[in-house]
Amino acid sequence: MPPATVPPPQSTVETLHEISLLLADLLPSTLSVTSFAARWQVLRSKLGAVQTLIAEINDSPHWSDNPLLPTLLPALLSTLRRTEVLCHHCRGAAAGRGKLLMQSDLDMATGWLSKQINDLELLLRSGVLHHSTAIVLSRPNSASSKEELTFFVRDLFARLQIGGLEFKLKALDSLIQLLIEDSKSAMIVAREGDMRCLTSLLDSSGDDSVKELAVHAVSLLVAAGDLPRKCVFEEGALGPLLRIIECSSVQVKERAAMAVEFITADHDNAWAISAYGGVPVLIELCKSGSLIAQSYAVGAIRNVSVVEDIRAALAEEGAVPVLIDLLVSGNASAQGKSANCISILASTSEKIRNLLLQEKGLQKLVQLFHECPVAETVEHVLRAIYSFSDDEISNRILSESTMFIVQLTDLIKLGKNIRLQHIAASLLAKLSISDRNKIVIAGCMGSLVRLMEAVKPDGVQVVAAKALTSLLSVKPNRKELVRDEKSLMRLAQMLDPRFEVVSKKSPVSVVAAIMAGGSHGCRKRLVAAGVHGHLQRLVEMDVVGAKKALQRLSGNRLTSLFSRSWRD
């Protein structure tokens, strides 16, 4: 007896044709079913929806090219055949079958049809059936049109939602490569892609490789801009990402932590960390994660530290010693973010500021300031130190450290980073520096004068003037400044009412500080530079402090002589 031959598989065209014929027979047959009438009414509506969708697919010009239909259509045909069998059983009074079993079978058939209808609708809405080829493996390049990119994204998400494991893996890989090669594509992905589908893969109990690729894709999306970040957050990605951090490989934890940091960078999202129980998760990652993961985790903690309720949770969960430890053990990125977080906490919560001081936080910050070569980290460190300077003991510690004060003035004299100059000058103005140390750092006075001319950042002129007037409280510094002709001419120019870049209050206070000791030599140099005439005009303009400064300057006949010459 010859072996049985296996019939060749049907083509997609043949399968679609068979589905159409089966529906044409099955729908009228259901009308005569009287058993389980309510359930068959639901099934009949589902079959009608399938018939409509199949007709739409038939009318699509390139439906036979789509690689998803060879999987979808056979599954649909199988469901319809099972439904046909159920129809025969019900028309025969369910002979030989229990009532409960039949009800279960009918409900299962309804569920299968609902899922397959959803898949077909998604495929039709994506528009991919109107294109002659699928391009999931040929990503658009920078020269591609917006329409081509939109089609590509819709095709990707159709495969993510409808396709099996292989389709999902290839679609995710293509999505990742697209986002890596063109970050601007994230906007179209956010608008045209189904973010709920993508975020659902983060919480999937299925294949781990799908979840890992989904984490990578989400991390790239949230890093690309406000809209993608908003879309991902609103579809509930934060909770699954935090769970992934707790139990995943090192690389996946790093990407999940990166995504959490970017999501929480939006203050409107930061509150949700507490809702998902994320504070202890992030603190633990700061303790035991890789250096990269620690950096992202402390960045997320910094982001959420602006929320008052979360600050309390950070203190209760033991974040303070962890943050201080990262100042020493973390990489440069983690050190900077930790210092930034400490500055936020110290400036907004007296309780946490005291905890930070108890843990030697100020000393660790000063140590990092002396050792760190990275300008951005130094800025965060100085801002954190500034947050402690209101505390009397901390102010005294800082004021008595000659090494710290000298390094501050080096930043001011270096003049390469205006933000560092600004915060360094702010600290100099706030500290109670000894007269001896004021003389030691007198070399920065010329730089402070130049800083008084800076337009940005806001407030820099004021703190530069305050720091300068503090140094001018000692006689040697007053003499040294007026001997610096460039600084003296700058100061005179700032006093000129026609020079509108600088607020007059600051240079007026500096002149008053120079003349506080009543030095004849200082008076002579200031008058010679034209300061007296400018002050007279400022008095007429009612500038605060100008009258007092003029009185100090107008102290002898030499002044009167210069004054008379100026009027002539």
Side-chain angles (χ1 to χ4, degrees):
M1 185 175 177
T5 58
V6 179
Q10 285 185 319
S11 69
T12 306
V13 174
E14 291 170 334
T15 303
L16 188 71
H17 180 64
E18 185 173 347
I19 287 173
S20 298
L21 293 176
L22 183 53
L23 283 167
D25 290 336
L26 184 55
L27 268 168
S29 298
T30 62
L31 294 172
S32 59
V33 176
T34 56
S35 302
F36 311 103
R39 283 179 165 79
W40 274 106
Q41 185 176 357
V42 174
L43 269 171
R44 193 159 38 251
S45 69
K46 299 291 183 186
L47 293 171
V50 171
Q51 191 174 49
T52 301
L53 292 170
I54 291 300
E56 286 187 48
I57 290 173
N58 236 331
D59 291 340
S60 301
H62 301 290
W63 68 265
S64 58
D65 295 336
N66 189 273
L68 291 172
L69 285 175
T71 302
L72 286 177
L73 293 181
L76 175 61
L77 179 59
S78 176
T79 300
L80 292 174
R81 284 171 176 168
R82 292 180 185 181
T83 305
E84 184 182 36
V85 171
L86 293 174
C87 182
H88 289 319
H89 278 297
C90 289
R91 290 173 69 189
R97 294 174 67 86
K99 183 177 180 180
L100 291 178
L101 180 60
M102 178 59 73
Q103 288 176 340
S104 174
D105 288 346
L106 291 172
D107 289 342
M108 288 176 64
T110 301
W112 291 332
L113 284 173
S114 295
K115 171 67 168 61
Q116 288 156 349
I117 287 170
N118 182 69
D119 289 346
L120 292 175
E121 286 178 339
L122 189 153
L123 195 60
L124 285 163
R125 283 199 309 270
S126 71
V128 297
L129 299 185
H130 291 272
H131 292 258
S132 60
T133 57
I135 59 169
V136 73
L137 297 179
S138 55
R139 290 181 300 279
N141 54 39
S142 57
S144 301
S145 66
K146 182 179 178 180
E147 289 71 21
E148 289 173 320
L149 183 55
T150 297
F151 164 64
F152 177 73
V153 169
R154 289 177 178 174
D155 189 33
L156 283 182
F157 278 88
R159 293 167 189 249
L160 277 181
Q161 293 171 271
I162 301 172
L165 176 61
E166 184 178 354
F167 276 116
K168 282 182 169 61
L169 292 173
K170 287 182 178 179
L172 284 169
D173 185 64
S174 292
L175 176 60
I176 289 166
Q177 294 305 314
L178 173 67
L179 293 170
I180 290 174
E181 293 170 6
D182 181 12
S183 60
K184 294 180 181 178
S185 65
M187 300 297 290
I188 291 180
V189 172
R191 283 195 292 262
E192 301 294 340
D194 189 328
M195 293 297 101
R196 181 171 298 180
C197 166
L198 182 59
T199 57
S200 70
L201 298 177
L202 300 173
D203 229 356
S204 171
S205 58
D207 191 88
D208 285 344
S209 56
V210 170
K211 184 181 295 187
E212 291 176 8
L213 290 175
V215 172
H216 193 182
V218 166
S219 69
L220 293 170
L221 269 173
V222 297
D226 292 340
L227 176 63
R229 182 161 57 242
K230 181 175 184 288
C231 292
V232 169
F233 172 73
E234 289 180 348
E235 292 301 339
L238 190 55
L241 287 168
L242 290 167
R243 289 190 285 275
I244 287 168
I245 288 174
E246 291 186 280
C247 52
S248 295
S249 65
V250 172
Q251 188 177 49
V252 175
K253 283 186 177 183
E254 290 172 353
R255 286 174 176 156
M258 171 187 170
V260 171
E261 181 182 7
F262 275 104
I263 289 173
T264 55
D266 186 338
H267 291 175
D268 291 337
N269 304 339
W271 61 269
I273 281 288
S274 183
Y276 287 111
V279 170
V281 174
L282 294 173
I283 292 174
E284 181 57 36
L285 190 59
C286 286
K287 291 179 183 177
S288 58
S290 67
L291 290 175
I292 294 173
Q294 285 179 334
S295 175
Y296 291 134
V298 75
I301 291 175
R302 172 203 57 194
N303 292 342
V304 303
S305 64
V306 299
V307 181
E308 184 176 354
D309 291 342
I310 295 182
R311 286 198 292 272
L314 289 171
E316 292 169 4
E317 295 289 346
V320 168
V322 174
L323 291 170
I324 291 173
D325 185 59
L326 286 176
L327 292 175
V328 179
S329 63
N331 59 20
S333 176
Q335 288 174 333
K337 292 173 184 178
S338 181
N340 192 2
C341 185
I342 288 172
S343 70
I344 295 170
L345 294 173
S347 62
T348 54
S349 170
E350 184 178 357
K351 177 183 176 181
I352 297 182
R353 182 165 63 246
N354 291 334
L355 288 174
L356 289 162
L357 289 172
Q358 290 172 19
E359 294 289 338
K360 307 296 182 184
L362 179 62
Q363 289 84 342
K364 296 287 179 61
L365 286 165
V366 172
Q367 178 185 342
L368 182 56
F369 173 57
H370 291 323
E371 298 173 355
C372 184
V374 182
E376 185 177 1
T377 302
V378 171
E379 181 182 350
H380 292 315
V381 169
L382 286 179
R383 293 192 186 281
I385 291 173
Y386 186 86
S387 299
F388 288 104
S389 59
D390 280 330
D391 176 74
E392 184 179 348
I393 296 175
S394 300
N395 193 298
R396 185 169 64 249
I397 291 171
L398 296 170
S399 299
E400 293 174 355
S401 173
T402 302
M403 182 178 177
F404 175 72
I405 293 170
V406 168
Q407 195 167 343
L408 281 182
T409 59
D410 287 342
L411 289 176
I412 294 172
K413 289 189 291 185
L414 193 60
K416 290 184 177 181
N417 187 316
I418 188 66
R419 293 192 306 275
L420 285 180
Q421 288 182 299
H422 186 194
I423 187 65
S426 300
L427 274 163
L428 280 186
K430 201 168 188 181
L431 297 181
S432 303
I433 305 171
S434 68
D435 288 352
R436 180 179 64 83
N437 277 338
K438 287 180 180 179
I439 294 172
V440 169
I441 62 174
C444 75
M445 290 192 298
S447 299
L448 288 171
V449 173
R450 288 194 295 274
L451 207 55
M452 287 173 62
E453 296 176 319
V455 178
K456 295 288 183 179
D458 292 340
V460 66
Q461 296 177 354
V462 174
V463 297
K466 286 182 177 179
L468 185 55
T469 55
S470 173
L471 298 185
L472 291 171
S473 65
V474 292
K475 183 177 180 179
N477 288 358
R478 296 195 290 268
K479 290 185 175 182
E480 181 170 339
L481 181 61
V482 296
R483 282 197 294 265
D484 181 353
E485 291 188 7
K486 290 183 178 179
S487 295
L488 197 57
M489 294 309 297
R490 282 196 172 93
L491 186 60
Q493 183 184 35
M494 283 186 269
L495 288 164
D496 189 338
R498 295 169 297 180
F499 188 72
E500 298 178 353
V501 174
V502 177
S503 168
K504 303 309 171 190
K505 185 177 177 180
S506 292
V508 164
S509 67
V510 172
V511 171
I514 293 173
M515 291 309 305
S519 167
H520 174 72
C522 291
R523 179 180 293 113
K524 181 179 178 181
R525 288 180 178 273
L526 286 170
V527 172
V531 169
H532 187 275
H534 294 324
L535 282 176
Q536 284 187 320
R537 290 177 181 170
L538 295 179
V539 169
E540 294 169 3
M541 295 166 61
D542 291 328
V543 172
V544 177
K547 185 175 181 180
K548 182 179 179 181
L550 183 61
Q551 288 172 345
R552 288 185 176 181
L553 192 60
S554 302
N556 59 21
R557 281 182 291 177
L558 179 62
T559 304
S560 301
L561 178 62
F562 276 105
S563 177
R564 198 177 305 117
S565 299
W566 173 79
R567 286 197 301 270
D568 294 341

